[in-house]
Amino acid sequence: MHSKSDVRDWFPSEDGSLLQRKRIMELIEQMISGVDELKNPEAVNLKGEKRRDGDFYGQLVAQSQIPYEGAPMKEVNAELLQLLHGHPYHTKYFFTNILPMASIPGILGMLSAMLVNGNNLWDVYGPAGAEAEVRVMAMMSKLVGYDAGTSGGYTTWGGQGAIFSGLRIAIAKYDPNALKHGVPDNLYAFCSELAHYSLFKSMEASGIGSDHLIKVKALSDSSMDVADLRCKLAAVAVGGGVPVYIVATTGTTDAMGIDNVLQIRTVAEEFSKQFGLPCPHIHADSALGGFFAVFNDYDLEKNTQQFSPGVIGMLTSIQEKMRHLSLADSMCFDFQKLGQTPYVSSLFLLKNAADLGLLELDADETPYVGHRGYGEYHTGYTLECSRMASSISMYSSLLAFGVEGYQRLLAQFLEVNLQFRERLVAEIPEADIANPDNPGISTLIRIYPPDGPRFAEEIGGSSSWGVIERNNQLNERLFEKLGKHRDRMFFGDTKKHLLVKTVEGRQIPLYVSKFFVISPHTQPEHVPEIVHYLKECITQVCEQFVYQ
Ligand SMILES: *Cc1c(COP(=O)(O)O)cnc(C)c1O
């Protein structure tokens, strides 16, 4: 019989033992160098064989069983590295959606949280996480123009978690007894038709039901049509309903359309006066766009960072809209998106921390937010019980990047996107930009047959259903083409960009491919090659497409 190892070998040491530290470092070294060996900067995926065809998942189910006897950690590491074979990686050719690379400061923040494995439920269990959380909450409040002395917030599960948190507060603000009696059946929420589906899900999960979610029309720049919001708020109130929640999308997931929070606030307050109802809670869904607030105080004329005139033009338009973020009652910073931290790390930020008191299980015993003494930071208002200290990763990134660093990184994304747009227009006559009014980090590309209406006619409402449908099919061919070779360059796509009216008066979404600048490794000098590749694909698709 061979001797068993000491159970303590699986754990970091108690006393800072050099020997155990060396073992841990060796394992980490094995992991990081293992990933480095898989890297291939000329393609998207990490190297390695991975066949996912056939009954891949079925096979996994059949094969998998907990081993009776555990394996040495080096062997386990080798297994883990196997998992990473063929994994998409954020090389310069990664342009799909808002799927960022985890930064080194973000990773180190997570690691430091794990080394003590505190629980952010309570500051006695997780003092480091609680401290970082209060700091991050204050830092972000000051960035957007909330009063950090009265604002509050907590880290949670994604932009979707933030939208759900906002809805819970909206309900409790209108009817504090709803927590006990259940949700009244006449409450309504509003968002733009291009909003993320998070609110739809939250309406289901809260029990209000998604029938009580009112979708407001979007304008051609993908922002909410506030005139339509005004009409729809009134229509609900006239019918006996109570609007309690408006989600303003400040950076739509595909097109980076930015709802104007100032206009939405104005409409909501006018509505409230006119109908004698409380003003609905306004949540800025800034999961995607929130980090552009790092430019709120950037002096575009002095331009100390020497961004190009094109980038300054984009920032002018972004700044104009993001400046109103603080008029929202709550918002989200999805650090796991543009904050450059690993999953899951999102911050729900609330203008008035006292609102959290409405959600407390027992308001006497569990004070509502962290402006309190040690031992009293108990987050009874979160949906989670145990919470990871993702705040430490956020804190680490904010310290390492600084406002200036985030500005530089985001400006690089903008610069790449700007040059991509210019080149696309110059070199690919089949393609139109389907979000021309949204400067940002994504470009939506829609291609067209040689003759026939183009994007301008489609959004103008003068194209027929049949023609738009045919154009959608052509674009779907391009998705297929790009998808087939996504290990070469990884583009995104969506089948729901802008709902347009056909001449027949029906609504139809436009299919578009997406160039989403998200990897720090994509530099402006890579743009010509990218557009060249795209042109080849588009030419082939157009040549092979059978026009009816
Ligand atoms: C990504 C996104 C969400 C959802 O965020 P998660 O972090 O994935 O939960 C919500 N709204 C917008 C606008 C988003 O871009």
Side-chain angles (χ1 to χ4, degrees), residues 198-251:
S198 297
L199 181 56
F200 186 88
K201 258 199 200 172
S202 303
M203 295 296 280
E204 290 178 353
S206 64
I208 298 179
S210 54
D211 281 352
H212 282 211
L213 171 58
I214 308 296
K215 296 273 180 84
V216 181
K217 276 194 214 132
L219 300 169
S220 62
D221 69 353
S222 304
S223 72
M224 186 191 283
D225 177 353
V226 290
D228 191 47
L229 173 67
R230 182 180 285 122
C231 293
K232 286 178 170 157
L233 285 168
V236 162
V238 166
V242 180
V244 290
Y245 194 40
I246 302 173
V247 170
T249 309
T250 43

Side-chain angles (χ1 to χ4, degrees), residues 318-490:
I318 292 171
Q319 213 184 43
E320 170 56 30
K321 286 181 167 175
M322 294 308 283
R323 213 188 270 138
H324 307 306
L325 214 52
S326 64
L327 295 174
D329 298 301
S330 58
M331 66 182 76
C332 167
F333 281 94
D334 229 357
F335 276 74
Q336 66 195 17
K337 285 185 173 170
L338 292 180
Q340 319 299 321
T341 54
Y343 299 110
V344 174
S345 50
S346 309
L347 181 72
F348 173 64
L349 197 60
L350 190 68
K351 183 184 258 170
N352 183 8
D355 289 346
L356 290 172
L358 297 165
L359 301 181
E360 269 301 355
L361 296 173
D362 183 343
D364 292 339
E365 283 174 24
T366 48
Y368 48 78
V369 86
H371 314 149
R372 301 277 176 139
Y374 179 70
E376 293 191 25
Y377 185 90
H378 191 279
T379 55
Y381 42 79
T382 57
L383 276 176
E384 304 99 316
C385 178
S386 295
R387 273 187 315 135
M388 71 187 293
S390 57
S391 51
I392 299 178
S393 180
M394 300 175 182
Y395 183 53
S396 171
S397 299
L398 290 171
L399 292 183
F401 281 89
V403 171
E404 180 272 342
Y406 279 115
Q407 287 175 345
R408 242 177 329 126
L409 177 68
L410 297 184
Q412 177 181 305
F413 291 167
L414 292 177
E415 183 66 47
V416 171
N417 193 36
L418 180 74
Q419 297 199 17
F420 175 82
R421 285 182 176 207
E422 284 170 0
R423 221 166 166 105
L424 182 82
V425 170
E427 300 205 357
I428 311 186
E430 296 90 344
D432 276 354
I433 295 172
N435 60 337
D437 305 328
N438 298 326
I441 56 180
S442 78
T443 293
L444 305 186
I445 305 152
R446 184 158 162 90
I447 59 170
Y448 294 90
D451 39 37
R454 306 275 299 215
F455 180 66
E457 286 88 50
E458 287 178 326
I459 58 164
S462 63
S463 297
S464 70
W465 174 274
V467 164
I468 295 180
E469 180 98 317
R470 183 203 57 187
N471 292 348
N472 277 349
Q473 279 169 22
L474 175 68
N475 279 277
E476 194 166 11
R477 282 304 134 70
L478 181 60
F479 298 177
E480 283 160 13
K481 180 106 199 154
L482 294 172
K484 202 164 156 205
H485 301 290
R486 67 176 181 231
D487 55 337
R488 169 87 181 86
M489 291 195 195
F490 196 176

Side-chain angles (χ1 to χ4, degrees), residues 93-153:
Y93 300 128
F94 187 98
F95 335 114
T96 191
N97 294 335
I98 185 98
L99 298 166
M101 186 171 222
S103 66
I104 296 170
I107 292 171
L108 290 173
M110 284 292 178
L111 183 63
S112 55
M114 287 170 191
L115 288 174
V116 290
N117 203 31
N119 188 330
N120 233 29
L121 164 69
W122 190 24
D123 64 353
V124 173
Y125 299 159
E131 181 178 335
E133 189 170 50
V134 173
R135 283 180 183 276
V136 168
M137 191 264 296
M139 285 166 151
M140 300 316 281
S141 291
K142 291 173 190 172
L143 178 74
V144 296
Y146 276 179
D147 175 352
T150 50
S151 66

Side-chain angles (χ1 to χ4, degrees), residues 419-425 427-428 489 491 526-538:
Q419 297 199 17
F420 175 82
R421 285 182 176 207
E422 284 170 0
R423 221 166 166 105
L424 182 82
V425 170
E427 300 205 357
I428 311 186
M489 291 195 195
F491 287 85
H526 301 128
V527 167
E529 188 202 348
I530 296 165
V531 174
H532 181 75
Y533 170 79
L534 193 60
K535 186 177 169 68
E536 272 179 8
C537 293
I538 290 175

Side-chain angles (χ1 to χ4, degrees), residues 157-160 163 196 198 249 251 253 285 287-288 334 336-337 346:
W157 41 279
Q160 184 159 297
I163 285 178
H196 193 270
S198 297
T249 309
T253 314
D285 181 9
L288 185 130
D334 229 357
Q336 66 195 17
K337 285 185 173 170
S346 309

